Amino acid sequence: MRRQIAAANWKMNCTLEQAETLLEDLLQLEHDLSRSRLVILAVPFPYLMLAKDILHGKKGYHIAAQNIHTKSHGAHTGEVSAEMLRSIGIDYAVIGHSERREEFGETHAQLAEKVNIALEYNIKPIFCCGEPFEIREAGKEKEYVAKQIEDSLFQLDDLQMQHFIIAYEPVWAIGTGKTASPEQAQEMHAFIRKIIADRYNAEVASLVSILYGGSVKQSNAASIFHQPDVDGGLVGGASLIAADFSTIIDALKEGLQVT
Ligand code: PGA
């Protein structure tokens, strides 16, 4: 079963009070979540425990951190490790978001280390990739994304790659209101699945959830999510409004039977 996922990326937004209200408002809205359709909320570090408490026992809801360090502990002031997240029961972490690649210079090699340590502590990465505008203009987007995936993920074994979550987020679509068309998203997602099938095998590739991110909103979620190789989305701005994110959750397909 390939899971369909609506993931919220709150980024550096919300006060404690706003975070509480947003989580509670979201829970007021009913969703049909099952083993194959899930919601993951990537909230800022200070609200991880709050989110965990509010979502406790709510089926289908999971919490993610927005980053982790490459090491499990030590003299790394201001950082948060996979070991810490495991100790508070967090199961997911966003790794390699383009804002972190740009603002903090995260390299492919560092991201490979982050992916490895996350898995070591049984934290599932949501690995982000995607090309900047100049690269798409030059027609080199597939090459660019392939390199991001090869360099940071292809050290994984078959078992680790199975059920992995990748978010394709073209940088030119993030926070800009410019969304990739459903066809552009499908083309890249099919390509990502193909390179995974070539490196591993078709069965492993068919189980990877590939999310689309970049200005997903109420009005475009369904047309993008209904593409055959799109398994939901990683949503920034629209995830900060409960009603909007709720409609986006409802746009998920049913989990795909792939075996
Ligand atoms: P956006 O952000 O939905 O606001 O474009 C998506 C993301 O950066 O994950």
Side-chain angles (χ1 to χ4, degrees), residues 9 11 97-99 169 173-176 213-216 234-238:
N9 179 9
K11 309 191 180 185
H97 191 279
S98 64
E99 285 152 14
E169 301 201 301
I174 296 178
T176 58
S215 299
V216 172
L234 179 58
V235 186

Side-chain angles (χ1 to χ4, degrees), residues 9-23 41-56 62-66 80 85 88 90 240:
N9 179 9
W10 288 11
K11 309 191 180 185
M12 196 176 72
N13 290 298
C14 293
T15 60
L16 176 65
E17 204 182 331
Q18 289 164 340
E20 203 165 353
T21 306
L22 180 50
L23 290 165
L41 305 172
V43 306
F45 288 127
Y47 312 139
L48 286 171
M49 291 303 287
L50 169 84
K52 228 177 121 354
D53 287 347
I54 294 181
L55 298 178
H56 182 72
H62 303 266
I63 316 287
Q66 295 178 9
V80 172
L85 295 172
I88 61 165
I90 300 300
L240 296 170

Side-chain angles (χ1 to χ4, degrees), residues 21-190:
T21 306
L22 180 50
L23 290 165
E24 273 159 6
D25 287 353
L26 194 61
L27 286 181
Q28 296 296 312
L29 303 155
E30 291 282 316
H31 296 109
D32 173 22
L33 301 175
S34 59
R35 204 171 63 83
S36 62
R37 284 173 111 211
L38 41 136
V39 173
I40 303 175
L41 305 172
V43 306
F45 288 127
Y47 312 139
L48 286 171
M49 291 303 287
L50 169 84
K52 228 177 121 354
D53 287 347
I54 294 181
L55 298 178
H56 182 72
K58 302 280 185 272
K59 202 165 164 282
Y61 288 89
H62 303 266
I63 316 287
Q66 295 178 9
N67 177 40
I68 54 167
H69 194 262
T70 53
K71 301 283 185 296
S72 62
H73 61 274
H76 304 285
T77 304
E79 291 293 318
V80 172
S81 73
E83 183 178 60
M84 293 171 176
L85 295 172
R86 169 50 47 227
S87 76
I88 61 165
I90 300 300
D91 295 328
Y92 293 88
V94 175
I95 293 180
H97 191 279
S98 64
E99 285 152 14
R100 294 206 56 87
R101 292 176 189 260
E102 272 170 34
E103 283 183 43
F104 303 99
E106 292 187 349
T107 64
H108 295 194
Q110 274 170 338
L111 296 175
E113 285 184 63
K114 290 187 179 204
V115 166
N116 291 346
I117 198 150
L119 291 170
E120 192 181 320
Y121 283 92
N122 207 12
I123 290 171
K124 299 172 195 68
I126 299 170
F127 177 80
C128 303
C129 58
E131 79 288 354
F133 183 64
E134 324 74 79
I135 298 288
R136 182 162 278 263
E137 264 199 326
K140 295 197 179 324
E141 66 275 11
K142 287 193 177 131
E143 235 169 281
Y144 188 93
V145 169
K147 180 108 180 91
Q148 289 179 317
I149 292 178
E150 285 160 16
D151 287 0
S152 302
L153 302 186
F154 279 5
Q155 76 282 8
L156 302 178
D157 63 26
D158 285 30
L159 218 61
Q160 290 172 317
M161 183 51 91
Q162 256 182 60
H163 299 298
F164 202 86
I165 306 170
I166 293 175
Y168 167 60
E169 301 201 301
V171 178
W172 47 271
I174 296 178
T176 58
K178 262 191 243 159
T179 319
S181 67
E183 295 72 28
Q184 283 172 322
Q186 168 56 26
E187 192 182 343
M188 183 60 88
H189 284 225

